[in-house]
Amino acid sequence: DATRSRHTRARRWMYSTMTPVRCHRTIPTTHDATHATTRRATIARAGASKGTNPKVNAIAEVVTSKMSSSNEVATNLKYHAAKSTSALPIAFGVPEMYQATAQSVREGLVERWNDTYAHFHKENPKQAYYLSMEYLQGRALTNAIGNMGLTGEYSEALRSLGYTLEDVMSVERNAGLGNGGLGRLASCFLDSIATLDLPAWGYGLRYKYGLFKQGVDKSSGEQLECADDWLEVGNPWEIARPQVSYPISFYGKVVDGKWKPGQQVRAVAFDSPIPGYKTRNCISLRMWDAQPSAAEFDLAAFNASDYKTSMGPTNLASMLCAVLYPGDGTREGKALRLSQQYMLCSASVQDILARWKERGNTDWNTLHEKVAIQMNDTHPTLAAPELMRILIDEEGLSWDAAWKITTKTVAYTNHTVMPEALEKWPLDLVEELLPRHMEIIKRIDAEFIASVKAKYASMPAAELKRSIDAMGILENYVTPEELAAREAKKVAKAAAKDGTVSIDEDDVMPEAKVRMANLCCISGMAINGVAAIHSEIVKDVVFNDFYKLFPEKFQNKTNGVTPRRWLAFCNPELSAVITKWVGNDSWITETDELRKLADHATNPELQAEWNAAKLARKQICKDYIKKVTDIDVPINSMFDIQVKRIHEYKRQFLNILGIIYRYKQMKAMTPEQRAKCVPRVCVFGGKAYATYMQAKRIVRLINNVGSVVNNDPEIGDLLKVVFVPDYNVSLAETLIPASELSQHISTAGTEASGTSNMKFQMNGCLIIGTLDGANVEIRECVGEENFFLFGITDPEVEPARAERAAGKFVADKRFLETVEYVRSGVFGDSFEELLGSLEGNEGFGRGDYFLVGKDFASYLEAQERVDVAYANQAGWIESSIKSTAFSGKFNSDRTIDQYAKEIWDIKPCTVPNRP
C-alpha cells in the first residue's frame, strides 16, 4: 500500500507538468524553454570552441547541462518523464520511471559520445577496432551512472520522487547480444578501453532474439528454450544511425575479377555508448542490424502474388540478425552462421575505411598507421579477405600492395585449444555464398604454400608435406589440375583392365574445408592466447608449425575483468569495506592497491566487517533463489557456486557426480555423523546450446538431483542443490558476491582462460580447480594454500586417454559406485545416454574423453580439504581477504593496456573537459 501510494503521488506531479499534445505549436513551459535555451547555448559554445566544421558540430552534438546535484538530476528526470517516455497519461509506474531515467542518463552519454567522436576526428589518432560475434553487456544503467560518478545523485533523486534506484534498475532487461565468456570478455574490454581513454571501438551484431531464454520443466528437469524478448519493450541505450548503412552481398558470380552479387541486404548501425570511469571519453559499441534494401524489393512480383520472390531479401535480412549462434547441423544452418560472420566483417570493414577517409587520410600504404583490427576468435576471420577485396576491387590496389596492408592491419586472438572447436567451413559452401572471397582465399593459400616450400627447401619431403598439411588454409582441397590428373590415372587404370571404370576407396575424397584459424594465423600481424598456459599450448601444440615459421607473431595477453562492474558496482557492501581498509577508492582502477588488504587479513575487525559484507550478499542471493526457484536455502551454509556455459569440458558433470557421492554418503550416516558435516548450498547456472544434447542431459541430471536432495527430510538443510535458470550478467552480479567456493574444474588443457574465476576471486571467493587456463596464474597470485587444487595436468592428459584406449584404466571404486547409483534410477531416470559418455575406451563423447573418472578421486579429496578449511572460519575469512587482495593482476585495464602497447600500437586520446 505504501509503495502504491508513493507511486500515485509520483504520477500526480509527473503528469501535472505535461502539456497536452497539440497539432499546432504550443508555448513551452518555463522548464522547456530553459532546457531548450541551455541546449542551444551549449551547442553554440561547442561549435565555437572546436576546430571542426560548426555545421558538423551542430548536427553531431546533443548536449545537456551538467547535472552535479540530486536536485538537478530530479529536474532532468521530470523533464524526461514528461517528454521522453512512451507512458500513457493514466499510469506512471516503475517501468516508466526506468525509461525516464535511461533517457536522462543517455542524454549525458550522448554528449560525451559526441565529444569523443569529434575529438578523435580532430586528432586523427591510430584507432583499434574490436570485432566480436558477441557482447554480454549486462544492464547499462548501473554501469553508466557508476562510471559517470552519478550513482548517489540518481539514487537520491529517485528517492525524492518516490522510487528507489534498485527497483528502477531491476526493470532493465539484459541485452541478448552474447552468451558466455567470449562476450563478457569483449564487454569488459570496452569498459577498459573507455576508462583508459584509448581510441578504439567495438563492432558486433544486433540479435533480435539473443541466444535463447532458458527455463526448466519442473516435472522432467529438462531445459526449455524460447526466444529472448529483450527488445520487445525497446532499448533506450541504443542510438539508431539509419544514415550509416552499407550493402552486404551474397551469392552471385565473379565476372572479370569483379563480384556480381545474387542477393544484397543493408547493414544499419545502432550505437551503444560505453562510458569510461571518471573520464569524458565515451566510446561506441556499434551493432549492425540487417535490413532489406528497397532497391532489392520486387514490387512487380509482390503484386503478382509471388511473395516468396518479392520477400526474399526481407526474409534474408530477418534471418541474419534473428538469433545468436543459430543451429548449424544442416547446410542451411551453416550458411546462415557464415552469412552472419560475413555481415559483421563486411559492414565493419566498410565502416572502418569510411572513417579513415572521413578523417582526411588518403595514402592506403599507411592504413596500418591509423587502423588496427582485432579479430576476437575465428568468427571475424573474413575481415581479412574482405579488406583484400575492397582494396583490390574497389580501391584499385595491386594484390601485393593489398596483402602487405592487410597483414599489417589485422590481428587474431585465439580462444580455444580444442581442435574440434576451431572453425572449419565447407569449401563449396564458402564458394557458393562468397565466390569472390573464395578466390582470394585460394590465392592466399597458394602463395603461402609456395613461400613455405621456398623457405623449407631443404626439409625432407615427408616432413614438408606434414607441415604444409597442418598450416594450409584449405583442408582436403584438390586443385583442378590435381583432379584432372586423378581422373586420367583412373581412366588409364581402367584401360589396363577391362575398360570398366570402378570406384575404390582411394577415389573417395573427404570434404574440402576452409580452416579459419589458419587463415587468421597467415593474415594476422599478431596471434595471442589469453592465459599463460594457454599461450604455451597454442605455440607448442595447436599452432606449433606456425610458431616455428612466425615466432615473432605469438604473444600472451592474460584476460582480465573490469573491477568496476565486477566488484565496485555489484558488491557495494564489500567495496565499502575495501575502501575503508585501503584508505581510498583508487583501487577501482589501480587494483594493485588491493594488496594492502593482505597486511590486515588476520585483523579481527576487518574479518568481522568482511564476514558481515559476505552475509549481506548471501541474504540477497538467498532471496533471489527463493523468488525464482521456490527453494529455501540456509544462509549459514557454504555457498558453493558453478556458473558458466554448460559443456562437457567445463565438467559440471564432475561437480554433480561429486554432489551425488556426498548425498549418498550422508544417507549412510547416523544423525550424529551428519551433524558434523559442513552444510552446503550447491548452485549451478548456465545455458546448454539447444542442439548440444549431452549438455542438456547434464542440466536435467542437476535438476533431478536437486528435486530428490532438496526434499529429503533426512538431509534437511545439510545439502541443497539449485539450478538457477536463464543465467546472465545480472544473475552473475547476484551470485558471485555471495559465493564462498567456486568450481573451475575443466579438464586440464581445455579451458583457454576463463574469466568467471577472476570475478569470483575479486569478490573474496576461494576456488577449487585444475591447473587449467587462468587458474594457474590465480593460484600463483593467491598462494597454493588458498587454492584447492586437484586433477591431472595438461602433459598427463593424452597419456591418460591412451591408457583408457588401451583398456588399462582402473576407475576408483567411489566413482563406479556413484555411476551405478545414478543408473539405479534414484533420480527418476537411469541417464544411460549421459553415463554412456563415461564408458568405452576412446573417442570424443565416449570413453570419458574429458577424464571425469580419472580426476574423480582427486576431486573428492580436494572437497574434503574444503570442508576442513571452512570449519575454521577465521582461517577461511583470512584466505577470502587474500583472494581479493591478490586479484589485481586480473584487471582488464592491464590486459587492454598490453593490447594497446604491444599489438595495436595506440595511445590514449583524452577528451578534454568542456570550458
Side-chain angles (χ1 to χ4, degrees), residues 255-551:
V255 178
D256 296 329
K258 296 294 178 68
W259 188 12
K260 304 295 183 183
Q263 283 186 322
Q264 275 192 340
V265 297
R266 289 190 312 134
V268 179
F270 284 75
D271 286 341
S272 292
I274 309 294
Y277 180 72
K278 292 187 177 180
T279 175
R280 292 285 302 171
N281 283 53
C282 183
I283 64 168
S284 186
L285 169 57
R286 177 158 285 181
M287 313 301 294
W288 298 109
D289 187 33
Q291 298 182 8
S293 170
E296 293 290 310
F297 182 74
D298 192 336
L299 183 61
F302 190 90
N303 287 331
S305 301
D306 186 359
Y307 305 124
K308 183 176 180 180
T309 298
S310 65
M311 296 299 290
T314 301
N315 293 336
L316 175 61
S318 298
M319 289 188 295
L320 274 171
C321 288
V323 300
L324 168 66
Y325 301 140
D328 61 354
T330 64
R331 185 177 176 86
E332 292 79 9
K334 288 182 175 65
L336 180 56
R337 272 215 197 184
L338 186 59
S339 297
Q340 286 183 330
Q341 293 183 5
Y342 176 63
M343 176 180 163
L344 167 65
C345 295
S346 180
S348 302
V349 171
Q350 290 183 71
D351 194 50
I352 290 165
L353 299 184
R355 188 167 306 104
W356 179 80
K357 291 179 179 179
E358 176 187 73
R359 293 177 182 173
N361 301 296
T362 57
D363 184 358
W364 287 109
N365 293 316
T366 62
L367 178 70
H368 67 282
E369 296 176 8
K370 294 295 182 181
V371 170
I373 298 173
Q374 189 70 39
M375 301 180 292
N376 190 31
D377 215 356
T378 53
H379 307 130
T381 303
L382 290 168
E386 174 68 357
L387 180 57
M388 288 288 291
R389 182 192 69 81
I390 293 173
L391 292 177
I392 296 170
D393 296 357
E394 297 182 13
E395 301 298 336
L397 274 68
S398 68
W399 174 274
D400 290 342
W403 181 242
K404 187 176 181 180
I405 293 166
T406 299
T407 55
K408 290 181 178 180
T409 303
V410 302
Y412 164 52
T413 299
N414 173 269
H415 284 279
T416 182
V417 297
M418 295 190 293
E420 61 271 13
L422 295 172
E423 282 190 306
K424 300 178 184 179
W425 294 108
L427 188 148
D428 63 336
L429 175 62
V430 180
E431 198 155 37
E432 178 186 6
L433 188 70
L434 304 168
R436 177 58 178 142
H437 296 76
M438 195 65 247
E439 284 188 349
I440 292 170
I441 292 170
K442 284 180 178 179
R443 182 167 174 180
I444 293 172
D445 187 56
E447 294 196 357
F448 170 72
I449 290 173
S451 71
V452 172
K453 288 179 177 179
K455 182 165 184 174
Y456 294 151
S458 60
M459 181 180 285
E463 177 62 17
L464 178 61
K465 183 180 184 305
R466 185 210 61 77
S467 184
I468 289 173
D469 287 347
M471 293 191 291
I473 300 170
L474 307 180
E475 183 179 58
N476 302 322
Y477 175 62
V478 179
T479 66
E481 294 78 15
E482 291 172 331
L483 186 61
R486 284 193 180 197
E487 290 297 322
K489 183 178 179 182
K490 186 163 50 175
V491 170
K493 185 177 179 182
K497 293 184 177 180
D498 58 1
T500 303
V501 178
S502 60
I503 300 176
D504 55 35
E505 290 185 7
D506 293 336
D507 295 327
V508 179
M509 293 182 291
E511 184 181 35
K513 294 185 177 181
V514 180
R515 298 190 282 200
M516 308 305 271
N518 288 19
L519 177 54
C520 286
C521 289
I522 294 167
S523 60
M525 60 175 170
I527 303 159
N528 74 277
V530 291
I533 187 174
H534 168 238
S535 295
E536 291 305 308
I537 294 172
V538 165
K539 291 190 294 186
D540 297 343
V541 180
V542 183
F543 299 130
N544 182 248
D545 289 281
F546 282 116
Y547 175 61
K548 292 175 181 176
L549 184 64
F550 305 126

Side-chain angles (χ1 to χ4, degrees), residues 80 84 106 162 179 221 268 300 305 330 389 485 504 543 562 672 681 685 759 784:
H80 284 287
S84 304
R106 192 181 96 156
N179 173 47
V268 179
S305 301
T330 64
R389 182 192 69 81
D504 55 35
F543 299 130
T562 168
E672 293 76 19
V681 174
K759 298 162 195 168
E784 60 184 42

Side-chain angles (χ1 to χ4, degrees), residues 635-693:
I635 198 172
N636 61 342
S637 295
M638 179 201 300
F639 277 30
D640 172 356
I641 298 178
Q642 185 182 22
V643 283
K644 52 185 71 211
R645 176 168 54 95
I646 309 296
H647 197 290
E648 288 170 279
Y649 87 83
K650 294 179 183 289
R651 298 204 294 191
Q652 288 92 347
F653 195 12
L654 173 60
N655 187 351
I656 193 62
L657 287 176
I659 292 169
I660 292 168
Y661 176 80
R662 188 182 189 87
Y663 173 66
K664 182 174 177 291
Q665 291 300 103
M666 285 181 171
K667 291 287 288 181
M669 292 178 182
T670 65
E672 293 76 19
Q673 289 172 320
R674 287 193 199 117
K676 298 177 183 178
C677 291
V678 173
R680 286 208 200 191
V681 174
C682 302
V683 180
F684 293 82
K687 295 180 179 180
Y689 285 137
T691 57
Y692 189 178
M693 299 312 298

